[in-house]
Amino acid sequence: MNDFVFAPPPVVAVPVVGSSARFPVHRVYCVGRNYEDHAKEMGFTGREPPFFFVKPANTVVVVDRDNTPLPYPTLTQDYQHEVELVVAIGQGGSNISAAHALSHVYGYAVGLDMTRRDLQTEMKKQGRPWCIGKAFDHASPIGPITPAAQVGDMAQASIWLDVNGQRRQSAQVHQLIWAIPEIIEHLSKAWTLQAGDLIYTGTPAGVSKLQRGDRLHGHVDGLQDMVSTVV
Ligand code: MN
C-alpha cells in the first residue's frame, strides 16, 4: 500500500563478497581514538576508555576496486582520510559480552571514516558536537563485506592505506586499544545493536589532508581492497 507522503529513500546496502545478496545498512557507529599512535597524534595519551559517535546510514558510499569517485565535501580546507576495519553486525542484541561478541558479526570490510578535520577541531574547541566534521555526505566509504566465515582471525590482519601510491597509514589490527569483542560489549551497553549495523573500529596514525585528484587505496588482509579518487 502506497501510504507515504513521498517515496521513501532507498535502502543503503553494501555488496557481499561471493554473494549476489547485499548487506542492508541500519546504523554506522565509529570508535574514536582506538590506536595508541593515532590517539597520540591527536594530542591524547591513548589510554582513555572507548567512546563512540554515529553517522547516518546514508553517509555510506560503496567503493570497490574500480576507482570509485569520492566527492570532495563542502566547507572544509582540511579533508582527511582515516582507514578503518569495519565490523558488520549480523545478529543484534544488547549487553552482549565480549566472550559472545564475535557470534554477532556477519563480516568485515575496509572502510574510511572521512573527516572534515578543521570543522571537527573547531567543534572540539567549542565543546560542540562533531556531526559537521564527521557525518557529512559521502563520509563513510566502504568496500564489499567479506563474511566472517571466509576470513581468519582479523586481529592478525595488517591494515594500510596508500595515497597516490605512498603508504600513509599502516598497522596491525591487534594494535587496537579496544579489540573487536570489547568494542561490541561496550557499544551494546549503550545501544541495542541490530543486524545491519556497521562499526568503524578506529584508525591508525598517519591521517592526512587530501586534495582533489588524490587516489586512495585501502587494504586489510583477507578482505577486498577499496580504491577511490577524490573528485
Ligand atoms: Mn575514525
Side-chain angles (χ1 to χ4, degrees):
M1 196 170 103
N2 185 8
D3 58 358
F4 296 107
V5 296
F6 52 82
V11 172
V12 176
V14 181
V16 171
V17 173
S19 172
S20 59
R22 294 175 301 152
F23 179 95
V25 178
H26 174 245
R27 286 182 181 164
V28 177
Y29 295 99
C30 298
V31 187
R33 294 178 213 131
N34 203 20
Y35 286 90
E36 190 171 355
D37 53 356
H38 173 64
K40 286 179 174 165
E41 77 179 349
M42 300 307 286
F44 296 85
T45 65
R47 293 288 172 208
E48 289 83 8
F51 71 93
F52 307 100
F53 55 94
V54 178
K55 300 189 183 197
N58 65 7
T59 63
V60 169
V61 186
V62 174
V63 169
D64 57 19
R65 291 177 287 214
D66 289 338
N67 207 12
T68 311
L70 185 60
Y72 193 101
T74 59
L75 296 180
T76 186
Q77 308 299 319
D78 192 6
Y79 176 49
Q80 295 198 355
H81 56 80
E82 297 190 354
V83 69
E84 309 199 0
L85 171 64
V86 181
V87 175
I89 296 293
Q91 187 198 327
S94 56
N95 296 308
I96 299 165
S97 70
H100 295 111
L102 293 183
S103 68
H104 291 258
V105 174
Y106 175 79
Y108 301 93
V110 185
L112 292 170
D113 169 21
M114 300 307 294
T115 303
R116 296 194 280 206
R117 190 74 69 198
D118 43 0
L119 300 182
Q120 184 202 23
T121 302
E122 186 58 29
M123 291 301 110
K124 279 186 192 172
K125 220 181 283 173
Q126 298 186 26
R128 290 179 179 174
W130 289 11
C131 313
I132 201 168
K134 285 289 194 180
F136 52 92
D137 295 348
H138 315 292
S140 312
I142 189 170
I145 292 169
T146 300
Q150 294 173 31
V151 298
D153 178 5
M154 290 311 300
Q156 300 311 312
S158 296
I159 179 170
W160 53 254
L161 179 82
D162 286 354
V163 180
N164 302 327
Q166 303 283 329
R167 188 68 34 99
R168 291 276 184 87
Q169 297 190 267
S170 181
Q172 306 289 317
V173 171
H174 71 73
Q175 293 174 295
L176 282 169
I177 296 170
W178 299 95
I180 293 162
E182 296 169 321
I183 292 168
I184 292 171
E185 179 173 298
H186 276 93
L187 255 184
S188 68
K189 285 179 185 166
W191 292 274
T192 300
L193 293 180
Q194 291 195 27
D197 287 338
L198 297 175
I199 307 169
Y200 284 60
T201 56
T203 199
V207 300
S208 67
K209 185 172 173 171
L210 293 167
Q211 312 287 349
R212 284 191 179 85
D214 284 344
R215 183 174 183 273
L216 299 126
H217 180 178
H219 171 93
V220 174
D221 290 347
L223 308 181
Q224 190 173 307
D225 287 10
M226 57 186 297
V227 178
S228 183
T229 294
V230 180
V231 297

